[in-house]
Amino acid sequence: ENSTMKTTVFATLLATAAAFAPATQKASTSSLAAYKEEIGATAPLGFFDPLGLVDGVDQERFDRLRYVEIKHGRISMLAVVGYLVTAAGVRFPGAGDVPDGLAAFPYMHTTADGKTVLMQMLAFFVVAEIVNRDAFGLAEFPGDFRNGALDFGWDKLSDEAKTKKRTIELNQGRAAMMGITGLVTHEVIGSSILPGGYLPGH
């Protein structure tokens, strides 16, 4: 299991590193011309697409990629919080014996209590997937899941404030994707980056 996990993490790192691989000047230039004003093209890199993933794609494809990026960013933000909270010893009632870090995965499919927690997690994932979507075609942008009900004052914000908040979410999600990758990688290699040298899963 440890070998499999190391292989998984290594593959993730390779995929991450590939994002920084050089691409042709032609691809970068044409992509920049098409989407340089999109949200997320922020300093210091500006529009950054070294692999040319959006080179020549239409707006529909770009919005799909942006939706996937936002979704993975939101999941990663939850993952970082969950990883750090459980590392701090916090547990839901009845889940006090669930270990933190990657050690939680074998526990959840080999023990009765773990299987209960796993079923609860799966139920949450199903509900979250159903709820977090544009159910009525009312989205103003990729990742807008208000569905005409949950507003929280969004419509009262200026266009500048909306752009700022969307940019913050996008960049925080990008940071979280790198963050959870770093946390898991350090756990696998046995090198703590948490206060006090604590190493989850060990």
Side-chain angles (χ1 to χ4, degrees):
E1 293 178 351
N2 189 42
S3 177
T4 301
M5 188 57 65
K6 288 183 178 180
T7 302
T8 302
V9 172
F10 181 69
T12 302
L13 289 175
L14 286 178
T16 303
F20 297 93
T24 64
Q25 184 64 35
K26 180 179 179 181
S28 298
T29 302
S30 58
S31 298
L32 180 61
Y35 300 111
K36 65 179 181 180
E37 300 299 327
E38 288 285 348
I39 289 176
T42 54
L45 295 177
F47 182 82
F48 186 67
D49 181 30
L51 295 181
L53 295 178
V54 299
D55 183 46
V57 305
D58 57 17
Q59 189 66 45
E60 182 180 359
R61 176 59 179 168
F62 180 88
D63 289 344
R64 171 61 184 170
L65 292 172
R66 173 51 50 85
Y67 167 78
V68 171
E69 180 183 23
I70 291 174
K71 181 174 182 178
H72 281 82
R74 290 171 176 172
I75 292 172
S76 295
M77 286 188 276
L78 289 172
V80 169
V81 172
Y83 191 96
L84 296 178
V85 167
T86 53
V90 179
R91 298 289 188 280
F92 283 116
D97 293 332
V98 180
D100 53 15
L102 299 177
F105 290 100
Y107 177 90
M108 285 191 291
H109 66 76
T110 57
T111 67
D113 289 342
K115 290 177 181 178
T116 299
V117 173
L118 183 60
M119 290 300 103
Q120 293 172 342
M121 289 176 58
L122 292 176
F124 170 78
F125 294 154
V126 170
V127 172
E129 193 67 24
I130 293 173
V131 174
N132 290 293
R133 61 191 179 95
D134 178 24
F136 308 109
L138 301 176
E140 295 180 7
F141 49 84
D144 177 11
F145 300 146
R146 290 174 297 156
N147 289 306
L150 299 174
D151 183 70
F152 300 113
W154 178 261
D155 287 335
K156 297 179 181 179
L157 297 176
S158 65
D159 290 342
E160 182 180 357
K162 289 179 179 179
T163 298
K164 180 179 180 180
K165 288 184 177 295
R166 289 178 59 197
T167 301
I168 289 173
E169 181 192 25
L170 190 59
N171 286 333
Q172 294 283 12
R174 291 168 173 172
M177 285 188 275
M178 298 299 293
I180 191 61
T181 300
L183 288 168
V184 171
T185 299
H186 276 268
E187 179 183 341
V188 170
I189 65 178
S191 175
S192 174
I193 56 175
L194 299 182
Y198 180 72
L199 190 62
H202 292 74

